[in-house]
Amino acid sequence: MSGAENINVTFFTPVTAFGIWMQDGFAIGTVGSCPPFGPQDSQFTFTFKAGDTEIVTLTEDPPIDQAFFFGVVLSLPVDKVEFRETVGTDENDFFGLIYVK
């Protein structure tokens, strides 16, 4: 994705564990037809919700140019996660599989 990555994920049934593979931009070279925009450090905020009620908000600063797994086990079930790029919105970031339980 290019630009600010702001994504909402809604689950059909509540979950108590969430994980996602991601990569914070890239410092050198290209991936497919995406040109490099130079190393910029992205930071993401993940907000987990049950309905409209916020359960927890976590901030993650993944390493640049490396595959990274972000995962959490939640004490309360949630049916939605909102993740927002809060720092570094001018480079391409990559998202892979989402895991839930």
Side-chain angles (χ1 to χ4, degrees):
M1 298 181 72
S2 181
E5 286 82 26
N6 297 321
I7 300 168
N8 295 338
V9 179
T10 303
F11 307 111
F12 291 110
T13 58
V15 302
T16 55
F18 172 86
I20 185 169
W21 280 101
M22 56 196 304
Q23 181 175 329
D24 177 6
F26 45 95
I28 301 171
T30 61
V31 175
S33 61
C34 296
F37 288 96
Q40 289 192 9
D41 190 21
S42 291
Q43 189 174 72
F44 295 90
T45 299
F46 293 82
T47 302
F48 296 88
K49 294 184 172 183
D52 291 331
T53 302
E54 182 180 315
I55 301 302
V56 66
T57 297
L58 303 169
T59 300
E60 187 59 54
D61 187 2
I64 293 176
D65 206 23
Q66 297 178 35
F68 178 80
F69 185 78
F70 171 79
V72 296
V73 175
L74 302 153
S75 58
L76 296 171
V78 300
D79 57 13
K80 183 177 186 179
V81 60
E82 301 171 348
F83 45 107
R84 304 289 184 258
E85 184 174 22
T86 53
V87 175
T89 60
D90 294 330
E91 82 287 341
N92 291 343
D93 295 317
F94 301 91
F95 299 95
L97 295 175
I98 293 175
Y99 301 88
V100 296
K101 181 171 180 185

mmCIF file with all atom_site columns, all heavy atoms in Angstrom, residues 66-91:
data_model
loop_
_atom_site.group_PDB
_atom_site.id
_atom_site.type_symbol
_atom_site.label_atom_id
_atom_site.label_alt_id
_atom_site.label_comp_id
_atom_site.label_asym_id
_atom_site.label_entity_id
_atom_site.label_seq_id
_atom_site.pdbx_PDB_ins_code
_atom_site.Cartn_x
_atom_site.Cartn_y
_atom_site.Cartn_z
_atom_site.occupancy
_atom_site.B_iso_or_equiv
_atom_site.pdbx_formal_charge
_atom_site.auth_seq_id
_atom_site.auth_comp_id
_atom_site.auth_asym_id
_atom_site.auth_atom_id
_atom_site.pdbx_PDB_model_num
ATOM 1   N N   . GLN A 1 66 ? 12.062  -5.326  6.964  1.00 0.00 ? 66 GLN A N   1
ATOM 2   C CA  . GLN A 1 66 ? 12.099  -6.695  7.467  1.00 0.00 ? 66 GLN A CA  1
ATOM 3   C C   . GLN A 1 66 ? 10.676  -7.187  7.666  1.00 0.00 ? 66 GLN A C   1
ATOM 4   O O   . GLN A 1 66 ? 9.818   -6.440  8.127  1.00 0.00 ? 66 GLN A O   1
ATOM 5   C CB  . GLN A 1 66 ? 12.812  -6.770  8.815  1.00 0.00 ? 66 GLN A CB  1
ATOM 6   C CG  . GLN A 1 66 ? 14.258  -6.379  8.789  1.00 0.00 ? 66 GLN A CG  1
ATOM 7   C CD  . GLN A 1 66 ? 14.864  -6.430  10.185 1.00 0.00 ? 66 GLN A CD  1
ATOM 8   O OE1 . GLN A 1 66 ? 14.522  -7.275  10.990 1.00 0.00 ? 66 GLN A OE1 1
ATOM 9   N NE2 . GLN A 1 66 ? 15.751  -5.501  10.473 1.00 0.00 ? 66 GLN A NE2 1
ATOM 10  N N   . ALA A 1 67 ? 10.457  -8.451  7.343  1.00 0.00 ? 67 ALA A N   1
ATOM 11  C CA  . ALA A 1 67 ? 9.169   -9.046  7.670  1.00 0.00 ? 67 ALA A CA  1
ATOM 12  C C   . ALA A 1 67 ? 9.029   -9.059  9.184  1.00 0.00 ? 67 ALA A C   1
ATOM 13  O O   . ALA A 1 67 ? 9.984   -9.335  9.912  1.00 0.00 ? 67 ALA A O   1
ATOM 14  C CB  . ALA A 1 67 ? 9.079   -10.450 7.106  1.00 0.00 ? 67 ALA A CB  1
ATOM 15  N N   . PHE A 1 68 ? 7.845   -8.738  9.677  1.00 0.00 ? 68 PHE A N   1
ATOM 16  C CA  . PHE A 1 68 ? 7.632   -8.582  11.108 1.00 0.00 ? 68 PHE A CA  1
ATOM 17  C C   . PHE A 1 68 ? 6.250   -9.126  11.442 1.00 0.00 ? 68 PHE A C   1
ATOM 18  O O   . PHE A 1 68 ? 5.284   -8.859  10.732 1.00 0.00 ? 68 PHE A O   1
ATOM 19  C CB  . PHE A 1 68 ? 7.717   -7.100  11.473 1.00 0.00 ? 68 PHE A CB  1
ATOM 20  C CG  . PHE A 1 68 ? 7.480   -6.795  12.918 1.00 0.00 ? 68 PHE A CG  1
ATOM 21  C CD1 . PHE A 1 68 ? 8.486   -6.981  13.846 1.00 0.00 ? 68 PHE A CD1 1
ATOM 22  C CD2 . PHE A 1 68 ? 6.251   -6.333  13.350 1.00 0.00 ? 68 PHE A CD2 1
ATOM 23  C CE1 . PHE A 1 68 ? 8.279   -6.704  15.189 1.00 0.00 ? 68 PHE A CE1 1
ATOM 24  C CE2 . PHE A 1 68 ? 6.025   -6.048  14.687 1.00 0.00 ? 68 PHE A CE2 1
ATOM 25  C CZ  . PHE A 1 68 ? 7.046   -6.235  15.618 1.00 0.00 ? 68 PHE A CZ  1
ATOM 26  N N   . PHE A 1 69 ? 6.154   -9.879  12.525 1.00 0.00 ? 69 PHE A N   1
ATOM 27  C CA  . PHE A 1 69 ? 4.862   -10.403 12.965 1.00 0.00 ? 69 PHE A CA  1
ATOM 28  C C   . PHE A 1 69 ? 4.412   -9.650  14.208 1.00 0.00 ? 69 PHE A C   1
ATOM 29  O O   . PHE A 1 69 ? 5.139   -9.583  15.201 1.00 0.00 ? 69 PHE A O   1
ATOM 30  C CB  . PHE A 1 69 ? 4.943   -11.900 13.269 1.00 0.00 ? 69 PHE A CB  1
ATOM 31  C CG  . PHE A 1 69 ? 3.607   -12.500 13.614 1.00 0.00 ? 69 PHE A CG  1
ATOM 32  C CD1 . PHE A 1 69 ? 2.699   -12.791 12.612 1.00 0.00 ? 69 PHE A CD1 1
ATOM 33  C CD2 . PHE A 1 69 ? 3.267   -12.744 14.926 1.00 0.00 ? 69 PHE A CD2 1
ATOM 34  C CE1 . PHE A 1 69 ? 1.451   -13.343 12.918 1.00 0.00 ? 69 PHE A CE1 1
ATOM 35  C CE2 . PHE A 1 69 ? 2.027   -13.279 15.251 1.00 0.00 ? 69 PHE A CE2 1
ATOM 36  C CZ  . PHE A 1 69 ? 1.123   -13.581 14.239 1.00 0.00 ? 69 PHE A CZ  1
ATOM 37  N N   . PHE A 1 70 ? 3.229   -9.082  14.151 1.00 0.00 ? 70 PHE A N   1
ATOM 38  C CA  . PHE A 1 70 ? 2.614   -8.419  15.295 1.00 0.00 ? 70 PHE A CA  1
ATOM 39  C C   . PHE A 1 70 ? 1.460   -9.302  15.750 1.00 0.00 ? 70 PHE A C   1
ATOM 40  O O   . PHE A 1 70 ? 0.568   -9.621  14.962 1.00 0.00 ? 70 PHE A O   1
ATOM 41  C CB  . PHE A 1 70 ? 2.091   -7.033  14.890 1.00 0.00 ? 70 PHE A CB  1
ATOM 42  C CG  . PHE A 1 70 ? 1.246   -6.375  15.946 1.00 0.00 ? 70 PHE A CG  1
ATOM 43  C CD1 . PHE A 1 70 ? 1.845   -5.758  17.036 1.00 0.00 ? 70 PHE A CD1 1
ATOM 44  C CD2 . PHE A 1 70 ? -0.132  -6.380  15.858 1.00 0.00 ? 70 PHE A CD2 1
ATOM 45  C CE1 . PHE A 1 70 ? 1.065   -5.144  18.017 1.00 0.00 ? 70 PHE A CE1 1
ATOM 46  C CE2 . PHE A 1 70 ? -0.921  -5.769  16.828 1.00 0.00 ? 70 PHE A CE2 1
ATOM 47  C CZ  . PHE A 1 70 ? -0.305  -5.149  17.910 1.00 0.00 ? 70 PHE A CZ  1
ATOM 48  N N   . GLY A 1 71 ? 1.477   -9.714  17.013 1.00 0.00 ? 71 GLY A N   1
ATOM 49  C CA  . GLY A 1 71 ? 0.407   -10.562 17.518 1.00 0.00 ? 71 GLY A CA  1
ATOM 50  C C   . GLY A 1 71 ? 0.068   -10.231 18.955 1.00 0.00 ? 71 GLY A C   1
ATOM 51  O O   . GLY A 1 71 ? 0.931   -9.817  19.727 1.00 0.00 ? 71 GLY A O   1
ATOM 52  N N   . VAL A 1 72 ? -1.194  -10.413 19.304 1.00 0.00 ? 72 VAL A N   1
ATOM 53  C CA  . VAL A 1 72 ? -1.651  -10.171 20.668 1.00 0.00 ? 72 VAL A CA  1
ATOM 54  C C   . VAL A 1 72 ? -2.674  -11.237 21.062 1.00 0.00 ? 72 VAL A C   1
ATOM 55  O O   . VAL A 1 72 ? -3.403  -11.753 20.222 1.00 0.00 ? 72 VAL A O   1
ATOM 56  C CB  . VAL A 1 72 ? -2.290  -8.775  20.848 1.00 0.00 ? 72 VAL A CB  1
ATOM 57  C CG1 . VAL A 1 72 ? -1.294  -7.669  20.616 1.00 0.00 ? 72 VAL A CG1 1
ATOM 58  C CG2 . VAL A 1 72 ? -3.490  -8.591  19.965 1.00 0.00 ? 72 VAL A CG2 1
ATOM 59  N N   . VAL A 1 73 ? -2.684  -11.547 22.344 1.00 0.00 ? 73 VAL A N   1
ATOM 60  C CA  . VAL A 1 73 ? -3.741  -12.358 22.944 1.00 0.00 ? 73 VAL A CA  1
ATOM 61  C C   . VAL A 1 73 ? -4.510  -11.412 23.849 1.00 0.00 ? 73 VAL A C   1
ATOM 62  O O   . VAL A 1 73 ? -3.924  -10.725 24.691 1.00 0.00 ? 73 VAL A O   1
ATOM 63  C CB  . VAL A 1 73 ? -3.158  -13.545 23.736 1.00 0.00 ? 73 VAL A CB  1
ATOM 64  C CG1 . VAL A 1 73 ? -4.262  -14.306 24.438 1.00 0.00 ? 73 VAL A CG1 1
ATOM 65  C CG2 . VAL A 1 73 ? -2.370  -14.460 22.809 1.00 0.00 ? 73 VAL A CG2 1
ATOM 66  N N   . LEU A 1 74 ? -5.803  -11.364 23.660 1.00 0.00 ? 74 LEU A N   1
ATOM 67  C CA  . LEU A 1 74 ? -6.650  -10.401 24.358 1.00 0.00 ? 74 LEU A CA  1
ATOM 68  C C   . LEU A 1 74 ? -7.403  -11.062 25.509 1.00 0.00 ? 74 LEU A C   1
ATOM 69  O O   . LEU A 1 74 ? -7.827  -12.219 25.397 1.00 0.00 ? 74 LEU A O   1
ATOM 70  C CB  . LEU A 1 74 ? -7.639  -9.790  23.366 1.00 0.00 ? 74 LEU A CB  1
ATOM 71  C CG  . LEU A 1 74 ? -6.967  -9.089  22.174 1.00 0.00 ? 74 LEU A CG  1
ATOM 72  C CD1 . LEU A 1 74 ? -7.873  -9.090  20.973 1.00 0.00 ? 74 LEU A CD1 1
ATOM 73  C CD2 . LEU A 1 74 ? -6.568  -7.695  22.573 1.00 0.00 ? 74 LEU A CD2 1
ATOM 74  N N   . SER A 1 75 ? -7.601  -10.338 26.585 1.00 0.00 ? 75 SER A N   1
ATOM 75  C CA  . SER A 1 75 ? -8.318  -10.886 27.733 1.00 0.00 ? 75 SER A CA  1
ATOM 76  C C   . SER A 1 75 ? -9.834  -10.843 27.526 1.00 0.00 ? 75 SER A C   1
ATOM 77  O O   . SER A 1 75 ? -10.572 -11.587 28.172 1.00 0.00 ? 75 SER A O   1
ATOM 78  C CB  . SER A 1 75 ? -7.941  -10.141 29.013 1.00 0.00 ? 75 SER A CB  1
ATOM 79  O OG  . SER A 1 75 ? -8.222  -8.767  28.874 1.00 0.00 ? 75 SER A OG  1
ATOM 80  N N   . LEU A 1 76 ? -10.306 -9.979  26.633 1.00 0.00 ? 76 LEU A N   1
ATOM 81  C CA  . LEU A 1 76 ? -11.726 -9.883  26.293 1.00 0.00 ? 76 LEU A CA  1
ATOM 82  C C   . LEU A 1 76 ? -11.891 -10.074 24.790 1.00 0.00 ? 76 LEU A C   1
ATOM 83  O O   . LEU A 1 76 ? -11.033 -9.651  24.018 1.00 0.00 ? 76 LEU A O   1
ATOM 84  C CB  . LEU A 1 76 ? -12.286 -8.515  26.694 1.00 0.00 ? 76 LEU A CB  1
ATOM 85  C CG  . LEU A 1 76 ? -12.294 -8.180  28.183 1.00 0.00 ? 76 LEU A CG  1
ATOM 86  C CD1 . LEU A 1 76 ? -12.677 -6.717  28.386 1.00 0.00 ? 76 LEU A CD1 1
ATOM 87  C CD2 . LEU A 1 76 ? -13.231 -9.095  28.931 1.00 0.00 ? 76 LEU A CD2 1
ATOM 88  N N   . PRO A 1 77 ? -12.990 -10.680 24.356 1.00 0.00 ? 77 PRO A N   1
ATOM 89  C CA  . PRO A 1 77 ? -13.196 -10.852 22.924 1.00 0.00 ? 77 PRO A CA  1
ATOM 90  C C   . PRO A 1 77 ? -13.479 -9.525  22.222 1.00 0.00 ? 77 PRO A C   1
ATOM 91  O O   . PRO A 1 77 ? -14.090 -8.629  22.803 1.00 0.00 ? 77 PRO A O   1
ATOM 92  C CB  . PRO A 1 77 ? -14.401 -11.795 22.828 1.00 0.00 ? 77 PRO A CB  1
ATOM 93  C CG  . PRO A 1 77 ? -15.053 -11.749 24.158 1.00 0.00 ? 77 PRO A CG  1
ATOM 94  C CD  . PRO A 1 77 ? -14.039 -11.297 25.152 1.00 0.00 ? 77 PRO A CD  1
ATOM 95  N N   . VAL A 1 78 ? -13.016 -9.413  20.996 1.00 0.00 ? 78 VAL A N   1
ATOM 96  C CA  . VAL A 1 78 ? -13.235 -8.216  20.179 1.00 0.00 ? 78 VAL A CA  1
ATOM 97  C C   . VAL A 1 78 ? -13.819 -8.632  18.840 1.00 0.00 ? 78 VAL A C   1
ATOM 98  O O   . VAL A 1 78 ? -13.654 -9.769  18.396 1.00 0.00 ? 78 VAL A O   1
ATOM 99  C CB  . VAL A 1 78 ? -11.929 -7.420  19.964 1.00 0.00 ? 78 VAL A CB  1
ATOM 100 C CG1 . VAL A 1 78 ? -11.350 -6.959  21.288 1.00 0.00 ? 78 VAL A CG1 1
ATOM 101 C CG2 . VAL A 1 78 ? -10.903 -8.218  19.186 1.00 0.00 ? 78 VAL A CG2 1
ATOM 102 N N   . ASP A 1 79 ? -14.506 -7.711  18.194 1.00 0.00 ? 79 ASP A N   1
ATOM 103 C CA  . ASP A 1 79 ? -15.034 -7.999  16.869 1.00 0.00 ? 79 ASP A CA  1
ATOM 104 C C   . ASP A 1 79 ? -14.532 -7.025  15.807 1.00 0.00 ? 79 ASP A C   1
ATOM 105 O O   . ASP A 1 79 ? -14.950 -7.066  14.661 1.00 0.00 ? 79 ASP A O   1
ATOM 106 C CB  . ASP A 1 79 ? -16.563 -8.041  16.874 1.00 0.00 ? 79 ASP A CB  1
ATOM 107 C CG  . ASP A 1 79 ? -17.210 -6.763  17.371 1.00 0.00 ? 79 ASP A CG  1
ATOM 108 O OD1 . ASP A 1 79 ? -16.506 -5.741  17.492 1.00 0.00 ? 79 ASP A OD1 1
ATOM 109 O OD2 . ASP A 1 79 ? -18.420 -6.793  17.643 1.00 0.00 ? 79 ASP A OD2 1
ATOM 110 N N   . LYS A 1 80 ? -13.591 -6.148  16.216 1.00 0.00 ? 80 LYS A N   1
ATOM 111 C CA  . LYS A 1 80 ? -13.058 -5.185  15.249 1.00 0.00 ? 80 LYS A CA  1
ATOM 112 C C   . LYS A 1 80 ? -11.672 -4.741  15.688 1.00 0.00 ? 80 LYS A C   1
ATOM 113 O O   . LYS A 1 80 ? -11.399 -4.582  16.873 1.00 0.00 ? 80 LYS A O   1
ATOM 114 C CB  . LYS A 1 80 ? -13.975 -3.970  15.166 1.00 0.00 ? 80 LYS A CB  1
ATOM 115 C CG  . LYS A 1 80 ? -13.565 -2.929  14.152 1.00 0.00 ? 80 LYS A CG  1
ATOM 116 C CD  . LYS A 1 80 ? -14.587 -1.800  14.115 1.00 0.00 ? 80 LYS A CD  1
ATOM 117 C CE  . LYS A 1 80 ? -14.302 -0.817  13.010 1.00 0.00 ? 80 LYS A CE  1
ATOM 118 N NZ  . LYS A 1 80 ? -15.288 0.250   12.947 1.00 0.00 ? 80 LYS A NZ  1
ATOM 119 N N   . VAL A 1 81 ? -10.793 -4.560  14.701 1.00 0.00 ? 81 VAL A N   1
ATOM 120 C CA  . VAL A 1 81 ? -9.491  -3.944  14.957 1.00 0.00 ? 81 VAL A CA  1
ATOM 121 C C   . VAL A 1 81 ? -9.302  -2.844  13.919 1.00 0.00 ? 81 VAL A C   1
ATOM 122 O O   . VAL A 1 81 ? -9.598  -3.025  12.739 1.00 0.00 ? 81 VAL A O   1
ATOM 123 C CB  . VAL A 1 81 ? -8.324  -4.958  14.944 1.00 0.00 ? 81 VAL A CB  1
ATOM 124 C CG1 . VAL A 1 81 ? -8.208  -5.668  13.611 1.00 0.00 ? 81 VAL A CG1 1
ATOM 125 C CG2 . VAL A 1 81 ? -7.013  -4.292  15.301 1.00 0.00 ? 81 VAL A CG2 1
ATOM 126 N N   . GLU A 1 82 ? -8.871  -1.699  14.395 1.00 0.00 ? 82 GLU A N   1
ATOM 127 C CA  . GLU A 1 82 ? -8.564  -0.574  13.514 1.00 0.00 ? 82 GLU A CA  1
ATOM 128 C C   . GLU A 1 82 ? -7.075  -0.323  13.616 1.00 0.00 ? 82 GLU A C   1
ATOM 129 O O   . GLU A 1 82 ? -6.551  -0.165  14.712 1.00 0.00 ? 82 GLU A O   1
ATOM 130 C CB  . GLU A 1 82 ? -9.315  0.682   13.957 1.00 0.00 ? 82 GLU A CB  1
ATOM 131 C CG  . GLU A 1 82 ? -10.813 0.520   13.961 1.00 0.00 ? 82 GLU A CG  1
ATOM 132 C CD  . GLU A 1 82 ? -11.541 1.691   14.598 1.00 0.00 ? 82 GLU A CD  1
ATOM 133 O OE1 . GLU A 1 82 ? -10.895 2.542   15.243 1.00 0.00 ? 82 GLU A OE1 1
ATOM 134 O OE2 . GLU A 1 82 ? -12.773 1.727   14.470 1.00 0.00 ? 82 GLU A OE2 1
ATOM 135 N N   . PHE A 1 83 ? -6.362  -0.363  12.484 1.00 0.00 ? 83 PHE A N   1
ATOM 136 C CA  . PHE A 1 83 ? -4.968  0.030   12.573 1.00 0.00 ? 83 PHE A CA  1
ATOM 137 C C   . PHE A 1 83 ? -4.701  1.224   11.700 1.00 0.00 ? 83 PHE A C   1
ATOM 138 O O   . PHE A 1 83 ? -5.212  1.352   10.608 1.00 0.00 ? 83 PHE A O   1
ATOM 139 C CB  . PHE A 1 83 ? -3.962  -1.108  12.404 1.00 0.00 ? 83 PHE A CB  1
ATOM 140 C CG  . PHE A 1 83 ? -4.139  -2.094  11.312 1.00 0.00 ? 83 PHE A CG  1
ATOM 141 C CD1 . PHE A 1 83 ? -3.320  -2.069  10.212 1.00 0.00 ? 83 PHE A CD1 1
ATOM 142 C CD2 . PHE A 1 83 ? -5.086  -3.094  11.419 1.00 0.00 ? 83 PHE A CD2 1
ATOM 143 C CE1 . PHE A 1 83 ? -3.442  -3.023  9.223  1.00 0.00 ? 83 PHE A CE1 1
ATOM 144 C CE2 . PHE A 1 83 ? -5.207  -4.047  10.434 1.00 0.00 ? 83 PHE A CE2 1
ATOM 145 C CZ  . PHE A 1 83 ? -4.383  -4.008  9.332  1.00 0.00 ? 83 PHE A CZ  1
ATOM 146 N N   . ARG A 1 84 ? -3.903  2.132   12.293 1.00 0.00 ? 84 ARG A N   1
ATOM 147 C CA  . ARG A 1 84 ? -3.614  3.426   11.688 1.00 0.00 ? 84 ARG A CA  1
ATOM 148 C C   . ARG A 1 84 ? -2.118  3.654   11.663 1.00 0.00 ? 84 ARG A C   1
ATOM 149 O O   . ARG A 1 84 ? -1.419  3.397   12.642 1.00 0.00 ? 84 ARG A O   1
ATOM 150 C CB  . ARG A 1 84 ? -4.248  4.560   12.505 1.00 0.00 ? 84 ARG A CB  1
ATOM 151 C CG  . ARG A 1 84 ? -5.741  4.430   12.705 1.00 0.00 ? 84 ARG A CG  1
ATOM 152 C CD  . ARG A 1 84 ? -6.479  4.694   11.398 1.00 0.00 ? 84 ARG A CD  1
ATOM 153 N NE  . ARG A 1 84 ? -7.916  4.667   11.576 1.00 0.00 ? 84 ARG A NE  1
ATOM 154 C CZ  . ARG A 1 84 ? -8.676  3.625   11.233 1.00 0.00 ? 84 ARG A CZ  1
ATOM 155 N NH1 . ARG A 1 84 ? -8.137  2.535   10.747 1.00 0.00 ? 84 ARG A NH1 1
ATOM 156 N NH2 . ARG A 1 84 ? -9.988  3.684   11.375 1.00 0.00 ? 84 ARG A NH2 1
ATOM 157 N N   . GLU A 1 85 ? -1.635  4.132   10.538 1.00 0.00 ? 85 GLU A N   1
ATOM 158 C CA  . GLU A 1 85 ? -0.239  4.547   10.460 1.00 0.00 ? 85 GLU A CA  1
ATOM 159 C C   . GLU A 1 85 ? -0.172  5.956   11.036 1.00 0.00 ? 85 GLU A C   1
ATOM 160 O O   . GLU A 1 85 ? -0.673  6.903   10.442 1.00 0.00 ? 85 GLU A O   1
ATOM 161 C CB  . GLU A 1 85 ? 0.257   4.514   9.019  1.00 0.00 ? 85 GLU A CB  1
ATOM 162 C CG  . GLU A 1 85 ? 1.719   4.832   8.913  1.00 0.00 ? 85 GLU A CG  1
ATOM 163 C CD  . GLU A 1 85 ? 2.254   4.663   7.515  1.00 0.00 ? 85 GLU A CD  1
ATOM 164 O OE1 . GLU A 1 85 ? 1.465   4.706   6.548  1.00 0.00 ? 85 GLU A OE1 1
ATOM 165 O OE2 . GLU A 1 85 ? 3.463   4.497   7.380  1.00 0.00 ? 85 GLU A OE2 1
ATOM 166 N N   . THR A 1 86 ? 0.432   6.088   12.181 1.00 0.00 ? 86 THR A N   1
ATOM 167 C CA  . THR A 1 86 ? 0.457   7.369   12.880 1.00 0.00 ? 86 THR A CA  1
ATOM 168 C C   . THR A 1 86 ? 1.751   8.140   12.650 1.00 0.00 ? 86 THR A C   1
ATOM 169 O O   . THR A 1 86 ? 1.815   9.333   12.931 1.00 0.00 ? 86 THR A O   1
ATOM 170 C CB  . THR A 1 86 ? 0.238   7.157   14.383 1.00 0.00 ? 86 THR A CB  1
ATOM 171 O OG1 . THR A 1 86 ? 1.177   6.193   14.856 1.00 0.00 ? 86 THR A OG1 1
ATOM 172 C CG2 . THR A 1 86 ? -1.164  6.656   14.662 1.00 0.00 ? 86 THR A CG2 1
ATOM 173 N N   . VAL A 1 87 ? 2.783   7.469   12.136 1.00 0.00 ? 87 VAL A N   1
ATOM 174 C CA  . VAL A 1 87 ? 4.065   8.107   11.813 1.00 0.00 ? 87 VAL A CA  1
ATOM 175 C C   . VAL A 1 87 ? 4.545   7.526   10.494 1.00 0.00 ? 87 VAL A C   1
ATOM 176 O O   . VAL A 1 87 ? 4.464   6.322   10.280 1.00 0.00 ? 87 VAL A O   1
ATOM 177 C CB  . VAL A 1 87 ? 5.130   7.843   12.909 1.00 0.00 ? 87 VAL A CB  1
ATOM 178 C CG1 . VAL A 1 87 ? 6.477   8.412   12.502 1.00 0.00 ? 87 VAL A CG1 1
ATOM 179 C CG2 . VAL A 1 87 ? 4.689   8.413   14.236 1.00 0.00 ? 87 VAL A CG2 1
ATOM 180 N N   . GLY A 1 88 ? 5.065   8.384   9.580  1.00 0.00 ? 88 GLY A N   1
ATOM 181 C CA  . GLY A 1 88 ? 5.666   7.905   8.336  1.00 0.00 ? 88 GLY A CA  1
ATOM 182 C C   . GLY A 1 88 ? 4.659   7.469   7.304  1.00 0.00 ? 88 GLY A C   1
ATOM 183 O O   . GLY A 1 88 ? 4.438   6.287   7.100  1.00 0.00 ? 88 GLY A O   1
ATOM 184 N N   . THR A 1 89 ? 4.041   8.401   6.620  1.00 0.00 ? 89 THR A N   1
ATOM 185 C CA  . THR A 1 89 ? 2.964   8.051   5.686  1.00 0.00 ? 89 THR A CA  1
ATOM 186 C C   . THR A 1 89 ? 3.354   8.166   4.218  1.00 0.00 ? 89 THR A C   1
ATOM 187 O O   . THR A 1 89 ? 2.495   8.110   3.360  1.00 0.00 ? 89 THR A O   1
ATOM 188 C CB  . THR A 1 89 ? 1.738   8.948   5.939  1.00 0.00 ? 89 THR A CB  1
ATOM 189 O OG1 . THR A 1 89 ? 2.131   10.310  5.730  1.00 0.00 ? 89 THR A OG1 1
ATOM 190 C CG2 . THR A 1 89 ? 1.195   8.765   7.334  1.00 0.00 ? 89 THR A CG2 1
ATOM 191 N N   . ASP A 1 90 ? 4.631   8.293   3.893  1.00 0.00 ? 90 ASP A N   1
ATOM 192 C CA  . ASP A 1 90 ? 5.020   8.530   2.502  1.00 0.00 ? 90 ASP A CA  1
ATOM 193 C C   . ASP A 1 90 ? 5.758   7.366   1.856  1.00 0.00 ? 90 ASP A C   1
ATOM 194 O O   . ASP A 1 90 ? 6.397   7.540   0.835  1.00 0.00 ? 90 ASP A O   1
ATOM 195 C CB  . ASP A 1 90 ? 5.903   9.785   2.410  1.00 0.00 ? 90 ASP A CB  1
ATOM 196 C CG  . ASP A 1 90 ? 5.130   11.033  2.771  1.00 0.00 ? 90 ASP A CG  1
ATOM 197 O OD1 . ASP A 1 90 ? 3.913   11.057  2.529  1.00 0.00 ? 90 ASP A OD1 1
ATOM 198 O OD2 . ASP A 1 90 ? 5.750   11.967  3.288  1.00 0.00 ? 90 ASP A OD2 1
ATOM 199 N N   . GLU A 1 91 ? 5.703   6.203   2.428  1.00 0.00 ? 91 GLU A N   1
ATOM 200 C CA  . GLU A 1 91 ? 6.373   5.061   1.812  1.00 0.00 ? 91 GLU A CA  1
ATOM 201 C C   . GLU A 1 91 ? 5.400   3.907   1.684  1.00 0.00 ? 91 GLU A C   1
ATOM 202 O O   . GLU A 1 91 ? 4.294   3.958   2.165  1.00 0.00 ? 91 GLU A O   1
ATOM 203 C CB  . GLU A 1 91 ? 7.609   4.646   2.608  1.00 0.00 ? 91 GLU A CB  1
ATOM 204 C CG  . GLU A 1 91 ? 7.347   3.780   3.803  1.00 0.00 ? 91 GLU A CG  1
ATOM 205 C CD  . GLU A 1 91 ? 6.725   4.516   4.965  1.00 0.00 ? 91 GLU A CD  1
ATOM 206 O OE1 . GLU A 1 91 ? 6.770   5.723   5.078  1.00 0.00 ? 91 GLU A OE1 1
ATOM 207 O OE2 . GLU A 1 91 ? 6.166   3.810   5.801  1.00 0.00 ? 91 GLU A OE2 1
#
